[in-house]
Every structure is written in structure tokens, then in C-alpha cells.
């Protein structure tokens, strides 16, 4: 369901959908059909790649919200189809209040008519609907079987509902069939809840576990791109929890089942959380759960699921020292685990120990090129709060000397400027980067970090001195952009050289970049007072590339 806003107009549709979806929705106005106005909602069909069903909720106080069964809409977005229906409603705004009033009247009349029917007449009506609607018949048959405790029929029907084979035409459930399968799985979840409500909770527990097993085995062969099967499977898991809360099965046996689900190969569809069952497990079940998790962790210490389960249980127990000891068994070389320990300790009010762990992380990872930046920020923030500004500079300096990145240079500069020692730090930092250029140590985008650092400092003169033979095209373009007024001739030479390289590539991106270079060249000619030379150059370029109509239109748009 999309988020709601107050009011309902074109601006509200644009705010809900975003500019791109709103503009695309304009193209679907003629694709809307079957508009039906209810008391509090509007439904319609929109014909696109497929035929999609749209529902808009017209809340008096909460404003507008929308739902669509297209893939984008099922992710919770207010899609272009919702926009199209919303615009259609706005086009018919004068008629909507009357149609809503008529819908209320129809609903009231229907309720009054049903209330006045005799038992025999209602039965006849239900039988008529059963004959026409196979889905309704199956649902009612299942409810009837549950009501008379016909567990054999209930079991067969529930397992049939979660069986993916009728939908697996080629050995797997395709995307186009996933939604229909998901509806059956959701129907099975409803049957399990009905069984629990009818006093058959213990039987519902066993049937839910069978259904979960089938779903787990099948999920790897389902294209559930929209997550509809996973959502329906979650409803089955919720039905299992409800049944357990009512039936109170053996807690130790339940603990064993839960661990098997969490650590099993087919656990992806359910995402069960054993702690949701804490009230059912009770003390003995939780003890069994912890022992099983610890045993699984010992047998497979590198297993992600085993580690996560153990961490989850220990954290829930509130034993910070046990949690720290668990984390400490597997310290990540990036320092991320040290940071988690520090944050847990700080949350527990043990700030000094937290900082000690964070500092240990910096020491343990001192030689690593990559260290989790959040750990470095954590330590620096605590130093700054304690008035240890010089230590902040020291941390940033150490990280810069290992990373040699522009980001590390910027962080060092910020820290050093705060204590007015940047000039000395800058000399040393630039010396490190110059040494890197001699060793051909490239920056992230190809050019040396030295050039990026000088450009970031705004030291254009130094950047020009260092750039020859070192800078890459990105850096040359950035340098020229900073030098149009101060070094127009040098900047012009850069723009023309880069423009020559873009004569061959095609496509909007290349054309837009070429236009940007030409705009820069024009500015340089303006500063030099040689606008006529630019006019001649541009005329020659346009003549040379005149067959590229898209390029010509882009140049026209930029006034070139």
C-alpha cells in the first residue's frame, strides 16, 4: 500500500508517484477501463504489458492511497497505473460524489436484502455461488471439513493447496504463475487458522509444519520476483505460531523443529524467528534452543545461519559479556566486528570499555587498506567529545597513510584544520602522494590521487604543474573547468583535445559530454577575446558531424 497524503489533486498524484511515474501515467489515460466507484474506493483495469487491477482508496481524512497488482505496484509503489486511474477520476470529479452516494445506497440495500432472506433462500444463494465459483467452493469445502473434524480431508486439501506441481509446467513455477500459486498458499494459511479457531490447534501445528516443509523444498524452483509467494508463506508461518500458542506443543520438540528450520537448506522462504515462539517455548524450550544453537555453532563455526542464530539468542538474553565473547570469536579484518562490540558496550553504559574495543580495532586493522569507516568515525567522535583533537588528527593521518585516497585526505584536512595545523600536515600528505606518483600508484578512477587532492584544495597552479603526463581525462576536464578564468589558453587546449576524442563515440551520453566540453571551450575563447575562432571551429565541427541528427539537436538545445 502506498503512503497516504492529504487531499487529492494532480499535485498529490505527482507527490505520491514521483515525477517519472506521473509522466508515464499520462500515457495510460486511454488504457483505463471498467472504472467502478465505491463508497470509499475506486477500482479499474489498466491495459499495459498485461491487464492490471488498480484500487484507489479515497479517505476523507487520510487522503489518497493506491494499490496495483503490477510488479512495481506490488512493491508498495504508487505506480503509473495508479496515476492513470487517479487522473481519470479527476476528469470525472463532478460525477464522483454522486457515484459514491449511489454506492453507499447500493451497499445498504444489499445488506437489507440479505438480512431479510430466509435460511432456505440464503442457502440457495450460496449454492448458486458455489456452482459458479470453484475457488469459493474449495474454501467452503475446507471449512466444512475443519468444522466436522475431518482431518484427513483437511490435510489432503491443505497439502494440495501448497503443492506447486500443478503450476510447474517446465519443472519450475514461472513468474506468470507465481501469483496464482501464492493465492492458494494464502488459502492454506486461512484454513490452518480456521482449524485452530475450531479447537483443532494441535492438528493445525502438524499440518502447518508439513506445509512449511513443502514450501521450503519448492521455493528454490519458483520465480518469486514480486515476493508474493514469500508473503503467502509468511502467512503459513504465522498460522503455525498461532496454532502453537493455542496448542502448547512439547517445548523441547518445538525447539528442535525451529532450529532445524532456521539452519536447514530450505529455510529461505519462511525467515522464521525462534524468539517469536519464546512464550510457547518457556524456560525449558529456550534452554534447549540455546544448547542446539551452541552445538550447531561448534560444528560449523563459519556458518552464517549458525552465527546469526547464536547471536540472536545471546542478545535476547541481555548478557552483554556473553555477546561480546561471541562476537570476539570471529573478528572481521575490516574492524566491523570491533565496532559492533563497541556499540553494544556503549548501549549498556560501558563507554570506556567501548572505546577500548574500538581502539583495539584500529590497532588490529592498522595494516589493512580497507577499514570500516564507521569504526574510524566512532573513535574520532569520541576523541573529539573528550577534547582530544590532536588524537583525532593522529587517527586520520594513520588512515591516510594506509589508504592514500582522496576521502582519507579530506578527512585529515578537516581534522587538522580544526586544530590549525593543516599547513604542516598538508606538506607531509602531498609528499606521500607525490611518492605514489613516482611509483605509479593510481587513484580510484585512474589518475593519481595527488591531482585529485590539489584540485580538491583549489590549488589550481600546483595542479597544472603536476598534471602533465599524470592526469587522466577526468582530472584534465576538472582542472580545465577550474581554470577558465585564470588559465584560459591552457584550459582551451584541454577542452579541444578531449572534444577531438569524442568525435567517434555515439549516443546521448557522449553527445552531452561533447556539448559540455564545447561550452567550456566557448568560455575560454570569451576570456581570450577570440570568439570568432570558436565560431569557426564550431561551424566546422557541425559540418563534419551533420549526419548525427541527435547530436545536432543536443547542440541546438545548448545554444551551440
Amino acid at each position: 500500500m502506498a503512503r497516504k497524503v492529504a487531499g487529492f489533486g494532480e499535485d498529490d498524484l505527482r507527490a505520491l508517484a514521483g515525477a517519472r511515474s506521473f509522466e508515464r501515467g499520462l500515457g495510460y489515460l486511454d488504457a483505463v477501463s471498467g472504472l467502478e466507484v465505491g463508497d470509499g474506493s475506486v477500482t479499474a483495469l489498466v491495459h499495459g504489458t498485461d491487464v492490471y487491477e488498480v484500487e484507489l482508496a479515497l479517505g476523507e481524512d487520510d487522503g489518497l492511497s493506491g494499490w496495483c497488482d503490477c510488479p512495481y505496484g506490488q512493491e508498495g509503489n504508487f505506480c503509473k497505473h495508479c496515476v492513470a486511474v487517479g487522473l481519470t477520476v479527476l476528469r470525472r470529479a463532478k460525477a464522483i460524489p454522486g457515484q459514491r452516494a449511489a454506492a453507499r445506497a447500493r451497499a445498504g440495500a444489499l445488506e437489507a436484502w440479505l438480512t431479510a432472506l430466509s435460511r432456505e433462500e440464503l442457502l440457495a444463494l450460496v449454492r448458486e455461488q458455489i456452482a459458479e465459483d470453484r475457488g469459493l467452493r474449495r474454501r467452503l469445502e475446507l471449512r466444512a471439513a475443519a468444522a466436522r473434524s475431518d482431518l484427513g480431508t483437511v490435510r489432503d486439501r491443505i497439502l494440495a493447496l501448497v503443492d506447486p506441481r500443478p503450476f510447474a509446467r517446465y519443472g519450475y513455477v514461472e513468474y506468470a504463475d507465481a501469483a496464482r500459486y501464492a493465492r492458494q498458499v494464502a488459502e492454506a494459511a486461512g484454513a490452518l487458522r480456521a482449524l485452530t479457531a475450531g479447537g483443532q490447534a494441535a492438528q493445525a501445528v502438524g499440518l502447518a509444519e508439513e506445509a512449511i516443509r513443502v514450501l521450503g523444498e519448492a521455493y528454490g524452483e519458483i520465480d518469486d520476483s514480486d515476493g508474493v509467494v514469500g508473503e503467502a508463506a509468511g502467512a503459513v508461518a504465522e498460522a503455525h505460531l498461532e496454532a502453537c500458542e493455542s496448542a502448547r506443543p512439547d517445548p523441547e520438540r518445538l525447539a528442535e523443529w525451529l532450529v532445524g528450520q532456521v539452519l536447514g537448506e530450505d529455510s529461505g522462504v519462511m525467515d522464521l524467528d525462534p524468539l517469536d515462539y519464546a512464550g510457547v517455548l518457556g524456560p525449558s524450550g529456550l534452554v534447549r534452543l540455546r544448547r542446539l544453537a551452541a552445538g550447531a555453532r561448534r560444528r560449523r563455526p563459519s556458518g552464517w545461519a549458525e552465527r546469526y542464530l547464536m547471536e540472536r539468542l545471546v542478545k535476547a538474553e541481555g548478557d552483554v559479556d556473553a555477546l561480546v565473547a561471541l562476537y570476539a570469536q570471529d573478528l572481521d579484518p575490516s574492524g566491523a566486528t570491533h565496532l559492533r562490540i563497541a556499540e553494544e558496550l556503549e548501549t549498556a553504559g560501558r563507554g570506556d570499555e567501548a572505546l577500548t574495543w574500538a581502539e583495539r580495532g584500529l590497532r588490529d586493522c592498522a595494516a589493512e587498506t580497507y577499514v570500516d569507516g564507521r569504526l574510524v568515525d566512532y573513535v574520532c567522535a569520541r576523541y573529539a567529545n573528550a577534547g582530544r583533537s590532536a588524537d583525532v588528527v593522529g587517527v586520520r593521518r594513520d588512515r591516510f597513510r594506509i589508504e592514500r585516497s582522496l576521502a582519507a585526505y579530506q578527512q585529515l584536512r578537516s581534522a587538522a584544520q580544526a586544530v590549525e595545523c593543516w599547513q604542516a600536515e598538508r606538506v607531509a600528505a602531498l609528499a606521500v602522494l607525490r611518492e605514489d606518483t613516482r611509483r605509479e600508484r593510481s587513484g580510484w578512477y585512474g589518475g593519481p590521487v595527488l591531482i585529485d587532492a590539489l584540485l580538491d584544495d583549489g590549488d589550481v597552479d600546483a595542479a597544472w604543474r603536476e598534471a602533465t603526463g599524470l592526469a587522466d581525462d577526468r582530472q584534465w576536464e576538472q582542472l580545465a573547468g577550474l581554470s577558465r578564468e585564470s588559465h584560459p589558453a591552457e584550459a582551451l587546449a584541454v577542452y579541444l583535445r578531449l572534444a577531438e576524442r569524442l568525435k567517434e563515440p555515439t549516443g546521448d551520453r557522449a553527445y552531452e559530454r561533447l556539448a559540455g566540453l564545447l561550452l567550456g571551450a566557448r568560455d575560454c575563447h570569451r576570456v581570450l577575446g577570440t570568439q570568432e575562432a570558436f565560431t569557426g571551429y564550431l561551424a566546422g565541427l557541425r559540418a563534419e558531424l551533420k549526419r548525427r541528427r541527435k547530436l545536432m539537436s543536443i547542440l541546438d538545445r545548448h545554444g551551440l
Side-chain angles (χ1 to χ4, degrees), residues 278-301:
V280 181
L281 290 166
S284 63
L286 288 171
V287 168
R288 180 64 175 154
L289 191 68
R290 172 70 182 273
R291 288 176 180 168
L292 291 169
R297 172 81 168 146
R298 284 192 300 271
R299 289 190 298 274
R300 194 165 175 258

Side-chain angles (χ1 to χ4, degrees), residues 459-542:
D459 193 344
V460 175
D461 291 335
W464 276 110
R465 289 194 299 271
E466 301 282 359
T468 302
L470 295 175
D472 64 4
D473 287 353
R474 174 187 59 84
Q475 293 170 329
W476 277 119
E477 187 173 346
Q478 186 179 355
L479 180 54
L482 294 171
S483 307
R484 296 176 189 178
E485 301 291 334
S486 60
H487 299 74
E490 294 90 340
L492 176 59
V494 170
Y495 283 130
L496 294 179
R497 183 176 73 248
L498 296 177
E500 283 297 312
R501 297 180 186 175
L502 282 176
K503 285 184 179 180
E504 292 299 324
T506 58
D508 287 6
R509 182 175 298 180
Y511 294 158
E512 288 287 353
R513 183 155 180 253
L514 178 57
L517 293 171
L518 293 174
L519 290 171
R522 186 177 67 182
D523 285 348
C524 293
H525 276 292
R526 176 185 53 77
V527 176
L528 292 167
T530 55
Q531 291 94 325
E532 291 184 3
F534 177 74
T535 301
Y537 170 81
L538 182 61
L541 182 69
R542 291 186 70 114

Side-chain angles (χ1 to χ4, degrees), residues 68-82:
C68 177
D69 63 355
C70 75
Y72 188 61
Q74 289 187 1
E75 293 176 0
N77 300 296
F78 196 91
C79 65
K80 60 189 178 185
H81 308 114
C82 290

Side-chain angles (χ1 to χ4, degrees), residues 111-122:
E111 180 67 24
W113 178 69
L114 289 172
T115 302
L117 290 177
S118 67
R119 180 177 181 276
E120 289 72 19
E121 290 170 324
L122 282 172

Side-chain angles (χ1 to χ4, degrees), residues 40-292:
S41 65
V42 173
T43 59
L45 300 178
V46 181
H47 300 259
T49 307
D50 202 341
V51 179
Y52 299 113
E53 184 177 348
V54 173
E55 180 178 0
L56 301 183
L58 309 174
E60 296 292 343
D61 300 321
D62 297 328
L64 176 71
S65 63
W67 176 88
C68 177
D69 63 355
C70 75
Y72 188 61
Q74 289 187 1
E75 293 176 0
N77 300 296
F78 196 91
C79 65
K80 60 189 178 185
H81 308 114
C82 290
V83 171
V85 174
L87 291 171
T88 301
V89 170
L90 291 178
R91 284 183 170 185
R92 307 179 186 182
K94 292 183 179 179
I96 296 299
Q99 291 175 329
R100 294 181 70 177
R104 283 194 293 272
R106 289 195 302 272
L110 176 61
E111 180 67 24
W113 178 69
L114 289 172
T115 302
L117 290 177
S118 67
R119 180 177 181 276
E120 289 72 19
E121 290 170 324
L122 282 172
L123 286 172
L125 180 62
V126 171
R127 292 188 184 105
E128 178 185 335
Q129 294 303 310
I130 288 174
E132 296 178 357
D133 188 335
R134 292 174 58 194
L136 176 62
R137 184 179 73 246
R138 288 199 308 265
R139 289 193 294 273
L140 292 181
E141 286 174 347
L142 191 54
R143 289 195 181 187
R148 65 176 185 271
S149 299
D150 183 357
L151 298 178
T153 300
V154 171
R155 178 182 181 277
D156 291 344
R157 189 71 201 122
I158 287 177
L159 292 182
L161 287 170
V162 298
D163 185 356
R165 287 176 295 180
F167 301 90
R169 289 177 290 176
Y170 305 104
Y172 61 93
V173 179
E174 295 181 301
Y175 171 80
D177 297 316
R180 289 192 299 123
Y181 176 59
R183 285 193 288 272
Q184 284 200 183
V185 174
E187 190 176 328
L192 290 166
R193 291 195 187 92
L195 203 59
T196 298
Q200 303 288 336
Q203 290 75 12
V205 170
L207 285 175
E209 291 176 3
E210 283 194 74
I212 288 170
R213 176 186 56 77
V214 172
L215 287 165
E217 293 172 353
Y219 196 63
E221 302 299 325
I222 299 172
D223 182 352
D224 191 29
S225 300
D226 294 340
V228 291
V229 177
E231 184 177 347
V236 173
E238 291 172 5
H240 177 261
L241 174 58
E242 292 174 12
C244 288
E245 289 171 338
S246 179
R248 296 288 167 171
D250 177 75
E252 295 195 13
R253 180 259 166 202
L254 177 60
E256 293 167 3
W257 182 84
L258 287 168
V259 170
Q261 286 300 306
V262 173
L263 302 184
E265 295 181 359
D266 301 322
S267 62
V269 64
M270 288 300 168
D271 195 25
L272 286 171
D273 186 350
L275 292 177
D276 289 342
Y277 291 77
V280 181
L281 290 166
S284 63
L286 288 171
V287 168
R288 180 64 175 154
L289 191 68
R290 172 70 182 273
R291 288 176 180 168
L292 291 169

Side-chain angles (χ1 to χ4, degrees), residues 355 362 374-386 388 391-393 395-396 415:
L355 181 56
L362 292 184
R374 298 172 302 160
L375 174 65
V376 181
D377 292 343
Y378 180 95
V379 173
C380 288
R382 269 85 195 146
Y383 284 169
N385 290 339
R388 299 170 58 181
D391 290 332
V392 176
V393 175
V395 171
R396 295 300 186 188

